[in-house]
Amino acid sequence: MHSSIASYQWLLHIFTVISSLQVSAARFNIPRLSPTRGTILQNPEILSATISKDFQTFYYNQTLDHFNYRPESYSTFQQRYVINFKYWGGGAGADANAPIFVYLGAEEPLDGDISVIGFLTDNAARFNALLVYIEHRYYGKSIPFGSRKEALKNASTLGYFNSAQAITDYAEILLYIKEKYNARHSPVIVIGGSYGGNQEQTCSEMVMPIGIDNTTMFPPDPFDLSNYIDDCKKLYGVSPRPHWVTTYYGGYDIKLILQRFASNIIFSNGLRDPYSSGGVLEDISESVVAIHTVNGSHCLDILGANQDSDPDWLVMQRKAEVEIIEGWISKYYADLKESNNRSCTQNKRKD
């Protein structure tokens, strides 16, 4: 339990950009909105042909279960991640400690994200950034147990499909990359939209008590937890834990928690996105800020920029986000320099 909390805090304290960060499905009949609009959910080959040769695919030998010590917990699977080295200043030389931009995969194969999520490539040259894209476990080519059929066949194999495991997957891969490429002191910008890893999880940890009352054009369908639990048992053999997310991550008072314990986060929302109603729409502190636009839609700001068709308000939204990130990185470098100078002074005193 301690290691899971530590890895979660580690990801929170590296620099983060979160676009339209709402869980994208509540009940089985509520549509999910992925950043790529679900284009390749069933056919990951549709967009893969458009991926530039600058992107190199790697596989990390990932631990199946980060939180237990049973023999089966030490089983591994191949988790896919993709790197673009084109713009990176590298871990040494004039551009030492250049930043790393990371996209955390959504509830689909990684292929479409690479083609569509343009915020990273659009801004990489400005920061000399290394670009990293990590696929969420149980999607695309990052499937435990050898095949999707085996991975999803029963509650025992589905038990490893949850957000805590996924967050720790990301932490392991990022630490490995920083070590491998001599980037120990490179700041990390994490970018994500919606939630990576939904579906089966609405029957475990992502229980959203959303129903339909009699004030809409739709037939009334009030949320009933007992029926919800029964449906999950029938579909997956899993009993939901309705309060596990807030127990594990906190969230009873989001504003107070983020104000006390979080830093360097942008909550970006377009108010035409129906899930923005559950988003953070007001600044919480100097470094935990909310940016929203009246006409924006789901994850629009992290998609690729189009100089010919992007409206002025979208251009300004992205510009504001980039300038905030630039400020974070500048402060990080200043703090790093001060820390190094302090260490040098202490070493001289010892000598």
Side-chain angles (χ1 to χ4, degrees):
M1 183 64 71
H2 180 269
S3 63
S4 67
I5 294 174
S7 66
Y8 177 67
Q9 290 174 335
W10 182 83
L11 277 174
L12 277 180
H13 283 85
I14 58 181
F15 305 135
T16 308
V17 176
I18 303 177
S19 175
S20 301
L21 184 63
Q22 282 76 52
V23 175
S24 57
R27 303 186 65 187
F28 307 116
N29 58 346
I30 292 180
R32 292 177 297 111
L33 292 179
S34 70
T36 57
R37 310 297 194 265
T39 306
I40 57 162
L41 187 59
Q42 302 301 327
N43 187 356
E45 304 303 323
I46 290 178
L47 293 178
S48 60
T50 66
I51 297 174
S52 165
K53 293 181 180 179
D54 294 325
F55 295 90
Q56 300 179 38
T57 299
F58 300 90
Y59 289 88
Y60 181 76
N61 198 37
Q62 188 61 264
T63 303
L64 177 64
D65 184 1
H66 298 287
F67 308 113
N68 290 289
Y69 298 92
R70 296 189 299 268
E72 60 269 25
S73 297
Y74 294 91
S75 300
T76 60
F77 67 97
Q78 296 296 292
Q79 185 166 11
R80 179 168 57 156
Y81 65 98
V82 174
I83 297 181
N84 185 338
F85 296 93
K86 179 178 179 179
Y87 309 95
W88 194 39
D95 294 317
N97 305 321
I100 301 173
F101 286 2
V102 183
Y103 177 76
L104 305 183
E107 61 273 27
E108 59 192 1
L110 190 61
D111 308 76
D113 294 335
I114 296 171
S115 301
V116 175
I117 304 299
F119 189 90
L120 285 76
T121 50
D122 289 345
N123 296 288
R126 177 171 180 167
F127 293 94
N128 296 324
L130 180 71
L131 307 184
V132 179
Y133 303 75
I134 307 176
E135 190 165 62
H136 196 292
R137 60 166 54 198
Y138 283 76
Y139 289 104
K141 297 182 179 179
S142 302
I143 308 293
F145 303 105
S147 70
R148 188 171 179 83
K149 181 179 180 181
E150 285 296 311
L152 303 180
K153 74 176 183 179
N154 58 45
S156 295
T157 56
L158 279 169
Y160 304 103
F161 184 19
N162 60 69
S163 60
Q165 299 282 5
I167 287 173
T168 312
D169 289 344
Y170 298 145
E172 276 209 17
I173 291 176
L174 289 176
L175 288 172
Y176 170 77
I177 288 173
K178 295 189 80 173
E179 180 69 24
K180 181 176 181 179
Y181 297 109
N182 192 28
R184 179 182 176 189
H185 295 297
S186 292
V188 177
I189 308 295
V190 174
I191 296 166
S194 193
Y195 172 77
N198 205 339
Q199 288 188 343
E200 287 73 22
Q201 286 173 266
T202 53
C203 269
S204 54
E205 56 183 343
M206 301 295 175
V207 178
M208 303 290 283
I210 297 176
I212 301 173
D213 61 21
N214 58 6
T215 62
T216 74
M217 62 180 286
F218 301 102
D221 185 17
F223 180 83
D224 186 294
L225 182 59
S226 296
N227 290 339
Y228 189 98
I229 292 173
D230 290 342
D231 288 342
C232 286
K233 288 180 178 178
K234 292 175 184 176
L235 284 170
Y236 303 111
V238 173
S239 294
R241 297 180 181 179
H243 305 294
W244 176 242
V245 168
T246 49
T247 299
Y248 186 70
Y249 294 114
Y252 293 99
D253 189 331
I254 287 291
K255 184 174 182 179
L256 179 62
I257 295 300
L258 292 178
Q259 193 173 44
R260 286 173 173 262
F261 300 108
S263 61
N264 298 341
I265 300 175
I266 298 173
F267 289 98
S268 172
N269 282 277
L271 299 187
R272 286 193 175 182
D273 176 2
Y275 298 112
S276 66
S277 60
V280 177
L281 301 178
E282 297 180 356
D283 292 352
I284 291 177
S285 68
E286 288 186 1
S287 69
V288 180
V289 298
I291 295 179
H292 65 267
T293 55
V294 174
N295 295 318
S297 58
H298 194 70
C299 300
L300 181 62
D301 56 326
I302 62 173
L303 303 185
N306 188 319
Q307 295 181 352
D308 297 326
S309 61
D310 285 345
D312 290 342
W313 57 263
L314 179 57
V315 174
M316 295 304 296
Q317 180 186 13
R318 289 178 176 140
K319 182 175 183 290
E321 292 166 356
V322 170
E323 288 176 350
I324 291 170
I325 293 170
E326 199 166 44
W328 293 342
I329 293 177
S330 296
K331 185 178 187 306
Y332 170 80
Y333 286 146
D335 291 344
L336 180 63
K337 182 178 180 180
E338 181 180 347
S339 176
N340 290 338
N341 290 340
R342 191 182 306 117
S343 297
C344 289
T345 301
Q346 291 174 349
N347 290 335
K348 288 180 180 178
R349 289 175 179 173
K350 290 180 182 178
D351 294 339

